[in-house]
Amino acid sequence: MNDHIKLLTLDIETTDLNGDRGHILCACAKWVGKPKLYKWRIDDTPGYGETPKSYYNDSAIVTGLKDLASGADAIIAYYGGYGRFDVPFINTRLIVN
């Protein structure tokens, strides 16, 4: 495999199958061939639990995923590619946020 190809693996867990109604509870991502694991949990978001809206504020999660994915040549996810689930759900949540 070409060492210059940047492959990102990711997975998300959500509250619904529709990004307009649900939100992301947690996510993880990892560059293929690199040891660091990136992870986000909604209850780690500053201010979580302080207001009703804070329980579904997944903006830190989707921003983190977007920042990583923008540097990827390809994304690897179980049922997550374009037109499947993870990537369209993340894109919807980016629009919502």
Side-chain angles (χ1 to χ4, degrees), residues 21-35:
R21 292 191 305 258
H23 58 274
I24 300 173
L25 293 171
C26 60
C28 62
K30 184 180 176 304
W31 293 105
V32 172
K34 303 290 183 183

Side-chain angles (χ1 to χ4, degrees), residues 45-80:
T45 303
Y48 178 82
E50 294 178 5
T51 65
K53 185 178 179 179
S54 71
Y55 288 102
Y56 57 89
N57 178 8
D58 60 359
S59 60
I61 298 171
V62 296
T63 300
L65 288 168
K66 175 189 68 81
D67 291 345
L68 280 179
S70 66
D73 294 319
I75 295 173
I76 301 168
Y78 181 78
Y79 206 68

